[in-house]
Amino acid sequence: MLELSDVLEAHERVRETSRHTPLERSHTYSAMTGADVHLKLETFQRTGAFKIRGATNRIATLSESQKEVGVVTASAGNHAQGVALAATRVGVDSTIVMPEHAPNSKVEATRSYGAEVVLAGTDYAEAAERAHEIEREEGRTYVHAFDDEMVMAGQGTIGLEILEDCPDVETVVVPIGGGGLISGVATAVKERNPDARVIGVQAEGASSAASSLEKGERVTIDGVHTIADGIATRSIGERTFEHIREHVDEVVTVSDPEIAVATVYLLERSKTLVEGAGAVPLAALLFDKFAYEDDETIVPVLSGGNIDLNTLTNVIVRGLVETGRYLKIRTVLSDQPGALARLLEIFTAHRANIYAIHHDRTSRDVEMSDTEVEIDLEMRGPDHVEEFLVDLREAGYEVDVLV
């Protein structure tokens, strides 16, 4: 089992490559939750995520012969960049296998750090199969994304920094994909402060850790479906499972809409861009996925900020929809002069701002004497949306809410 001494040794190895990232108290989330919330901003880490820590520690422990042959790994993106940079810094050749649908921004960033990128498989598990083939074919050392104690130890340096910057921490909230991050952080936190809680968070569509703990054995799920691609794994590791059972107090899950809301809040209120995996700890806190006391000192670990811009667009829209800030509706009007103006009078009364409007006389779904209208609106919250829809329907309009 990983021990605190391993994390302390890792801290010495990674200090020149990784950054001691900020830990900032959030007045916003403290006010929203009643807790004393401090954000651990791994979004400011080199490569934009925590993975550089574990990758650096693992590569530093390679033998000289292993360094000469090179390394290979599989990753959805952040581990890829961490291994690429850590290997290049010490002159080690690296090959990274990424899923075929990995965000292009992460693929190009990995190449920019000096790695050869191979795209294979639909998810992490299939990419890992190809990476192990390359390991056997070329004799490279496989650097596991999470199920490796030296990788876990490197990630655990986050726990040391949290304890240094916030000695009174009572709860640390950590995302779980394969489990390497939480294994390292929990080891550091629990061995230094046994009274502190460590809460793990997964996406509902990739909840292998929660299922494994419930059944008492590792569970591999059939597929993953989540916007949090950085934690989209079918199963946690063998080693990480044992560490999670030993050190983690509770594992909870959050939905994609909840992740989207947390992402929007962080962007708008904290001016902080996170990827889905980085938003899940705050989502768990905001949506009361675990119990906590008033004024409890809680540190959500925002693990990374490498989000694809196309994904970000969708996440923002979904977040705005969930918070009642964006509404798209469809209704049918009589195809007569003034019909649209009468509809817009209701919009004006509610101060609903129009983003876009599509007026279609040719739709097969309406009578030839009618016209279909789709309208995108900026709204001010759930109550505003509800009042607006009630007034439209009371005025005789049949309204379909599209998003």
Side-chain angles (χ1 to χ4, degrees):
M1 293 284 287
L2 186 69
E3 297 180 353
L4 177 61
S5 59
D6 298 312
V7 181
L8 292 170
E9 290 173 4
H11 187 252
E12 294 303 312
R13 297 190 189 104
V14 308
R15 63 168 61 246
E16 292 186 3
T17 300
S18 68
R19 295 171 179 153
H20 184 130
T21 52
L23 184 70
E24 296 185 356
R25 185 177 188 276
S26 171
H27 296 281
T28 297
Y29 308 122
S30 296
M32 290 173 68
T33 63
D36 180 26
V37 181
H38 300 247
L39 304 177
K40 179 59 173 171
L41 297 170
E42 279 295 290
T43 51
F44 290 96
Q45 186 55 262
R46 296 192 68 174
T47 73
F50 73 97
K51 289 286 192 176
I52 185 66
R53 298 172 183 265
T56 297
N57 191 50
R58 181 66 185 93
I59 288 172
T61 59
L62 294 175
S63 68
E64 290 304 316
S65 60
Q66 288 174 321
K67 290 179 180 178
E68 289 179 6
V69 178
V71 297
V72 62
T73 193
S75 170
N78 287 334
H79 179 63
Q81 294 174 63
V83 170
L85 178 58
T88 298
R89 280 178 60 86
V90 294
V92 174
D93 187 69
S94 61
T95 297
I96 316 293
V97 184
M98 304 178 73
E100 293 173 354
H101 302 296
N104 188 61
S105 59
K106 293 185 178 183
V107 173
E108 292 305 314
T110 302
R111 289 190 173 121
S112 74
Y113 289 127
E116 177 187 353
V117 175
V118 176
L119 299 178
T122 59
D123 60 12
Y124 171 79
E126 292 183 3
E129 290 179 10
R130 177 59 187 136
H132 284 300
E133 290 176 358
I134 294 173
E135 175 192 13
R136 293 188 293 269
E137 293 166 1
E138 302 181 13
R140 293 173 177 266
T141 298
Y142 187 86
V143 181
H144 203 286
F146 48 84
D147 209 21
D148 181 299
E149 290 193 350
M150 291 299 97
V151 171
M152 295 181 217
Q155 322 302 25
T157 59
I158 293 174
L160 297 180
E161 292 178 10
I162 291 172
L163 293 169
E164 179 182 342
D165 295 340
C166 187
D168 298 328
V169 62
E170 295 173 271
T171 299
V172 181
V173 191
V174 187
I176 301 178
L181 172 60
I182 198 168
S183 295
V185 169
T187 297
V189 170
K190 287 291 192 177
E191 292 200 26
R192 280 276 177 90
N193 182 2
D195 293 332
R197 290 191 303 166
V198 178
I199 305 292
V201 189
Q202 290 198 295
E204 287 179 356
S207 58
S208 61
S211 299
S212 296
L213 291 174
E214 183 179 338
K215 293 190 176 183
E217 61 182 15
R218 286 176 66 235
V219 170
T220 299
I221 57 180
D222 294 334
V224 292
H225 308 282
T226 176
I227 60 174
D229 60 279
I231 53 173
T233 57
R234 293 185 192 174
S235 67
I236 55 175
E238 293 180 12
R239 295 180 179 88
T240 61
F241 178 49
E242 296 303 321
H243 284 84
I244 291 170
R245 287 207 296 187
E246 179 73 19
H247 293 303
V248 176
D249 295 273
E250 185 179 359
V251 175
V252 300
T253 62
V254 291
S255 68
D256 275 7
E258 290 165 343
I259 296 170
V261 170
T263 302
V264 168
Y265 276 143
L266 284 163
L267 194 58
E268 185 173 50
R269 306 286 184 87
S270 305
K271 315 309 177 200
T272 299
L273 177 64
V274 298
E275 58 192 274
V280 298
L282 183 62
L285 178 60
L286 293 178
F287 289 94
D288 296 322
K289 300 296 182 174
F290 60 93
Y292 55 88
E293 302 293 331
D294 288 343
D295 296 322
E296 182 173 330
T297 302
I298 301 176
V299 176
V301 178
L302 309 187
S303 57
N306 295 321
I307 187 169
D308 180 74
L309 292 181
N310 291 323
T311 301
L312 177 61
T313 300
N314 294 332
V315 169
I316 289 174
V317 170
R318 187 56 184 269
L320 292 175
V321 169
E322 294 295 325
T323 55
R325 307 263 301 282
Y326 180 88
L327 179 67
K328 184 171 185 175
I329 62 171
R330 176 173 56 208
T331 191
V332 175
L333 306 178
S334 175
D335 190 13
Q336 296 177 351
L340 180 59
R342 288 190 292 274
L343 173 67
L344 296 183
E345 287 176 1
I346 300 175
F347 287 33
T348 301
H350 283 271
R351 296 183 180 179
N353 191 35
I354 297 175
Y355 281 127
I357 185 167
H358 179 69
H359 192 271
D360 186 5
R361 289 186 174 90
T362 62
S363 173
R364 294 182 178 179
D365 296 328
V366 299
E367 298 294 332
M368 293 184 66
S369 59
D370 293 335
T371 184
E372 184 179 78
V373 180
E374 288 186 7
I375 306 174
D376 296 20
L377 296 159
E378 178 186 11
M379 307 298 287
R380 298 194 303 274
D383 292 342
H384 187 210
V385 170
E386 184 62 26
E387 293 168 1
F388 174 67
L389 292 176
V390 167
D391 276 6
L392 280 176
R393 287 164 178 152
E394 287 183 351
Y397 295 100
E398 294 184 5
V399 180
D400 295 323
V401 176
L402 303 182
V403 295

